[in-house]
Amino acid sequence: MAGKNCVAIASDLRFGVQLQTITCDSSKVFKVHDKLYLGIGGLQTDALTLFQKVKFRTNMYKLREEKDIKPSKFGELLANMLYERRFGPFFTSPVVAGLEADGKPYICGYDSIGCLEKAEDFLISGTSPESLFGVCESFWKPDMSSDELFECISQCLLAGVGRDALAGWGSVVHIITPDQVTSRTLKGRMD
């Protein structure tokens, strides 16, 4: 979710196989660098494998270019990585959230074969998009501050996953601003 010179990414903490919950401390958001986070929903083994490959490519980029990768370039890199495996795709739906050098928020999402979708407001991925879309459309407004963005994404996530048996059990929210990254864990329904 995008704000004014800030961006937020959040995920629930439930990890399970269909209706069986295995653990409730599994975040699906990974740090690429200080201004760029990657959320990966879907099959957990594919998500971890994809993040390891992403981390390798971004480290190689940093060694070659001697700087961190921009979120927009990272978006293209991830789209290419996913498209390379189009005949045996990762069963994931990644979401990228980051801040460009000028402080402009960058958010984009993908399908399993790398079709890139950029957004100016918010993106949703996972098991409960129907309930999350309605809540996010009603709560999101342009140019929110980092505190307003945190409150908005927290309320949206808790309300959206509260209606889904395959999601929830708490959540984690990362707010990326030009100065710092704030990560907070939210308590949710545990049933």
Side-chain angles (χ1 to χ4, degrees), residues 134-156:
V135 176
C136 289
E137 283 178 340
S138 63
F139 283 163
W140 186 84
K141 60 184 180 191
D143 296 330
M144 287 188 283
S145 69
S146 60
D147 292 333
E148 291 174 321
L149 186 62
F150 169 74
E151 188 65 32
C152 178
I153 198 168
S154 301
Q155 293 298 325
C156 290

Side-chain angles (χ1 to χ4, degrees), residues 28 32 39 46-47 55 87 111 180:
K28 293 143 190 90
V32 178
D46 282 356
K55 198 64 177 162
F87 299 117
D111 64 2
Q180 65 182 1

Side-chain angles (χ1 to χ4, degrees), residues 32-33 36 58 61-62 67-71 73-75 77:
V32 178
H33 62 74
L36 182 61
T58 55
Y61 180 90
K62 188 171 184 176
K67 62 181 178 180
D68 285 327
I69 192 167
K70 295 178 185 176
K73 288 211 183 288
F74 178 78
L77 170 79

Side-chain angles (χ1 to χ4, degrees), residues 13 157-158 161-162 167-172 185-191:
L13 295 174
L157 188 64
L158 291 175
V161 301
W169 294 65
S171 48
V172 62
T185 304
L186 305 174
K187 234 179 161 176
R189 290 179 42 189
M190 302 292 274
D191 57 353

Side-chain angles (χ1 to χ4, degrees), residues 5-7 22 37 90 92 94 105 117 123 129-130 164 175:
N5 296 329
C6 59
V7 67
I22 296 171
Y37 279 70
F90 291 116
T92 61
E117 177 190 359
L123 278 171
E130 295 86 7
D164 186 9
I175 307 289

Side-chain angles (χ1 to χ4, degrees), residues 54-102:
V54 162
K55 198 64 177 162
F56 173 76
R57 292 263 183 109
T58 55
N59 285 340
M60 291 302 291
Y61 180 90
K62 188 171 184 176
L63 284 172
R64 208 172 321 122
E65 301 293 328
E66 297 180 357
K67 62 181 178 180
D68 285 327
I69 192 167
K70 295 178 185 176
S72 55
K73 288 211 183 288
F74 178 78
E76 298 298 328
L77 170 79
L78 185 54
N80 288 332
M81 285 178 64
L82 292 169
Y83 190 70
E84 284 173 1
R85 294 189 45 107
R86 65 190 173 276
F87 299 117
F90 291 116
F91 295 110
T92 61
S93 52
V95 173
V96 173
L99 281 182
E100 295 285 357
D102 61 355

